[in-house]
Amino acid sequence: MEIDPFIFRLSIFILSIFIGYYVVWSVTPSLHTPLMSVTNAISSVIIVGAIIAALAGASESIFNTSSIFGFIAIILAAINIFGGFLVTQRMLQMYKKKKDKKK
Amino acid sequence: MISANLAAIFYLVSGILFILALRGLSSPDTSRQGNYFGIAGMIIAIVVTFLSIGNFSTSLVYVIIFLVIGGAIGAFIAFKIPMTAMPELVAGFHSLVGLAAVFVAIAAFLNPAAFNLGNVGDIKLASLIEMSIGAAVGAITFSGSIIAFLKLRGIMSGAPIVFSGQHILNLVLGISIFVLIFYLCKTQSTNIFWTVIIISFLVGVLLIIPIGGADMPVVISMLNSYSGWAAAGIGFTLENTALIITGALVGSSGAILSYIMCKAMNRSFVSVILGGFGADNSTDDKKEKKDQKPVKSGNAEDAAFLMKNASSVIIVPGYGMAVAQAQHALREMVDKLKKNDIKVTYAIHPVAGRMPGHMNVLLAEANVPYDEVFELEDINNDFANSDVAFVIGANDVTNPVAKTDPKSPIFGMPVLDVEKCKSVLFVKRSLSPGYAGIDNELFYKDNTLMLFADAKKMTEDIVKNLD
């Protein structure tokens, strides 16, 4: 009997939860704020769904109800992607050791 | 146009890069590299999506235009935002992820053919369940984060909003979402789909309004987790590995952070969610008691004298430091102390501030080297061997009552053993109780000197007196 592809995706999902569990526990507490901003940025990979929805409009007209939702979602996710990664970068730049304190 | 299999492999690669991005955060040295991994993963995912659709018509131009508009707004915010506003920024970003998830789910519902999910009115059952869960969790994340944002920004009062029957109402709404999803699967009705989303928006609001200001670290972490589960739900709908992996990572990351925050407050997750903590109820009789107890208060000169004659000083920052923007003045003070060969370290309680790691970021912004900043368990034994503890903007996390009085609402919460220092300098605007609404015994200890002033002004005055 064939295995439903859903089961494979579920396996990936469950295993990723475990990976997340171990990886996040190893994050140093002083970097918890950057952790939140970077998880924010990566969860915006939801933009792939938005792009599919937006491009699907092309068959009839560029803007139909479904693709408009896609386009708005692109803006929202893009704000998050750029904002999330850049603000994380800005924060991480500030973490310095004692030695390189001299500018 | 690339094949679906090849695309799936690239999505897997970007998922792995996201894992490495989080992995990098295990140390500040590797964290910057980790962030680049994350960016690379995102670029791969977006490019592969374009290639796998293979639609290079005019609509692609619009996609890129919208992408650039969003990107420009995001970049602008990222560069402009002051570090003290980080908690509300993160809450705001969570709301965007939530809303994006809702919109993608709506788009998929209205045009399932584009996602290979069947046709309008005949969407595959599994996909329908996945997308409605994704939409519901996304909607809760969105409205919940908006409330959290308003509370953190101070537009809405941080005080918990409670009314009778609140929990029952939430329960009823929660159950009705599941019932509606069940009927949605049977009827494929558009109206039911919209109703699910609207009720979820309502649940998000109701869930966050009873939670008070100082429980915000838990709320933000929890919403972080929700945004992950919403992304994962959409990932299942789109059958996209990158999204499933990311959703799981973010979901568990937020859950762990909520757990750490709850533990640091010695409160159960359920009690935080049910909310109502810290509501003003018994402050009046506390005030009477306070008047009777003697308090030693001093000025900047006394504080500077004490610190100049110390050989080691531990700084305990809290939310008040963030509010007063005192981190730069504080660093100046510490530099002066260091010139006099005084050993200075920082002690940070896990729930200091309004989000996990909030204090660390502020100190980093003020150029404090991160190897001088210590977590509660690493530094707590040092208080006994130190001369001066300088408490700036923290309160409940230093209250010895948590160790001594089983009746206290914060009993059992891990606190910094500040009172073990030879002397304690406590910068605070007044004797008012902290967020937990309880009096801090530390104020009345013989070795405590209260410095009544704004944190920033007091620190600046001390700097002047150190010369």
Side-chain angles (χ1 to χ4, degrees):
Chain A
M1 211 183 106
E2 225 181 304
I3 299 171
D4 192 314
F6 172 79
I7 302 300
F8 285 114
R9 286 191 283 276
L10 190 66
S11 316
I12 293 173
F13 179 62
I14 308 267
L15 289 174
S16 302
I17 292 178
F18 276 90
I19 293 174
Y21 180 84
Y22 289 108
V23 168
V24 172
W25 271 118
S26 74
V27 170
T28 167
S30 66
L31 290 176
H32 275 162
T33 299
L35 170 69
M36 300 199 94
S37 61
V38 85
T39 50
N40 232 313
I42 63 172
S43 56
S44 304
V45 72
I46 202 160
I47 198 168
V48 301
I51 294 172
I52 297 173
L55 287 180
S59 46
E60 306 107 43
S61 62
I62 293 172
F63 295 105
N64 59 37
T65 339
S66 158
S67 74
I68 287 173
F69 278 109
F71 279 114
I72 302 172
I74 288 179
I75 295 192
L76 298 176
I79 293 176
N80 239 326
I81 292 172
F82 282 76
F85 280 124
L86 289 173
V87 89
T88 310
Q89 191 66 21
R90 211 182 119 198
M91 276 191 269
L92 295 176
Q93 271 342 329
M94 301 184 314
Y95 283 82
K96 292 186 193 95
K97 265 197 179 162
K98 219 177 288 178
K99 289 166 241 156
D100 21 287
K101 221 179 74 185
K102 288 171 231 130
K103 272 181 230 158
Chain B
M1 178 136 182
I2 57 175
S3 79
N5 286 332
L6 191 58
I9 288 174
F10 277 115
Y11 284 133
L12 179 64
V13 170
S14 84
I16 291 167
L17 286 167
F18 291 152
I19 296 171
L20 293 175
L22 299 194
R23 177 75 196 132
L25 291 170
S26 56
S27 133
D29 295 328
T30 54
S31 60
R32 278 160 280 231
Q33 190 194 18
N35 202 32
Y36 293 127
F37 281 135
I39 295 170
M42 187 61 72
I43 294 171
I44 291 176
I46 293 175
V47 171
V48 167
T49 309
F50 283 136
L51 292 178
S52 64
I53 299 173
N55 173 345
F56 297 107
S57 61
T58 36
S59 54
L60 183 75
V61 180
Y62 283 100
V63 168
I64 291 177
I65 291 174
F66 282 91
L67 199 73
V68 171
I69 294 174
I73 299 172
F76 179 78
I77 297 172
F79 286 116
K80 284 281 164 201
I81 192 92
M83 284 299 148
T84 40
M86 208 46 77
E88 53 260 43
L89 177 74
V90 168
F93 278 169
H94 286 154
S95 73
L96 298 182
V97 179
L99 196 60
V102 174
F103 283 177
V104 172
I106 293 174
F109 184 80
L110 295 177
N111 188 1
F115 294 87
N116 282 325
L117 306 174
N119 294 303
V120 179
D122 183 27
I123 300 170
K124 280 189 282 182
L125 181 66
S127 311
L128 196 56
I129 297 173
E130 289 153 5
M131 74 171 75
S132 37
I133 292 175
V137 179
I140 293 173
T141 313
F142 170 70
S143 55
S145 301
I146 293 287
I147 300 294
F149 175 83
L150 294 176
K151 284 194 171 193
L152 287 164
R153 191 85 231 187
I155 298 170
M156 204 173 134
S157 151
I161 299 170
V162 279
F163 54 87
S164 60
Q166 195 163 21
H167 303 319
I168 296 165
L169 179 64
N170 286 348
L171 191 69
V172 170
L173 289 175
I175 292 170
S176 67
I177 290 177
F178 283 103
V179 174
L180 283 169
I181 291 178
F182 178 76
Y183 279 106
L184 175 66
C185 295
K186 281 182 112 175
T187 61
Q188 305 251 353
S189 147
T190 319
N191 288 337
I192 295 182
F193 186 70
W194 290 114
T195 317
V196 167
I197 291 175
I198 291 167
I199 294 181
S200 305
F201 279 135
L202 198 62
V203 170
V205 173
L206 290 170
L207 215 52
I208 307 301
I209 54 169
I211 305 179
D215 280 340
M216 277 302 154
V218 182
V219 171
I220 297 194
S221 317
M222 184 181 85
L223 292 167
N224 186 234
S225 181
Y226 286 0
S227 70
W229 304 132
I234 302 296
F236 275 102
T237 320
L238 306 184
E239 307 182 348
N240 183 306
T241 332
L243 205 41
I244 294 175
I245 295 177
T246 315
L249 288 178
V250 178
S252 55
S253 159
I256 291 171
L257 289 176
S258 325
Y259 170 79
I260 295 175
M261 294 301 117
C262 285
K263 220 174 145 231
M265 294 194 288
N266 191 36
R267 305 191 43 211
S268 73
F269 186 68
V270 176
S271 80
V272 173
I273 296 308
L274 294 182
F277 188 70
D280 258 8
N281 37 20
S282 58
T283 35
D284 285 343
D285 61 325
K286 294 263 156 62
K287 266 181 200 131
E288 276 169 43
K289 221 168 69 188
K290 209 182 307 159
D291 294 334
Q292 294 155 9
K293 285 200 244 175
V295 170
K296 277 200 285 184
S297 77
N299 55 27
E301 220 173 301
D302 306 328
F305 178 78
L306 263 172
M307 281 199 269
K308 242 192 269 181
N309 291 303
S311 62
S312 56
V313 174
I314 300 180
I315 312 237
V316 181
Y319 182 58
M321 180 189 83
V323 175
Q325 303 258 18
Q327 66 270 29
H328 298 283
L330 183 68
R331 219 285 312 265
E332 227 178 290
M333 185 187 96
V334 170
D335 283 349
K336 288 241 162 96
L337 292 175
K338 277 196 207 148
K339 264 188 210 141
N340 293 331
D341 282 329
I342 299 166
K343 187 180 164 239
V344 185
T345 44
Y346 299 80
I348 296 189
H349 192 276
V351 291
R354 285 290 184 265
M355 75 183 293
H358 191 187
M359 289 300 122
N360 303 78
V361 170
L362 293 182
L363 291 176
E365 188 202 9
N367 275 320
V368 172
Y370 63 81
D371 38 7
E372 288 176 10
V373 182
F374 296 93
E375 301 298 316
L376 174 90
E377 60 264 37
D378 298 327
I379 200 166
N380 227 1
N381 293 327
D382 293 357
F383 282 106
N385 312 321
S386 297
D387 299 317
V388 177
F390 186 74
V391 182
I392 175 166
N395 187 0
D396 288 335
V397 297
T398 63
N399 197 339
V401 159
K403 290 175 289 193
T404 53
D405 181 7
K407 272 179 280 171
S408 163
I410 59 166
F411 181 72
M413 166 171 144
V415 288
L416 293 158
D417 299 331
V418 175
E419 77 281 1
K420 289 188 183 154
C421 260
K422 288 204 189 84
S423 41
V424 178
L425 295 169
F426 208 114
V427 185
K428 204 170 180 306
R429 263 186 269 180
S430 70
L431 272 182
S432 62
Y435 169 71
I438 46 164
D439 216 4
N440 192 341
E441 264 188 20
L442 196 60
F443 299 165
Y444 315 108
K445 295 255 175 188
D446 287 339
N447 58 345
T448 304
L449 189 67
M450 299 298 296
L451 305 169
F452 292 113
D454 172 75
K456 187 176 178 188
K457 198 169 168 300
M458 176 53 72
T459 315
E460 283 167 351
D461 287 350
I462 295 174
V463 171
K464 278 181 215 142
N465 278 291
L466 278 174
D467 290 323

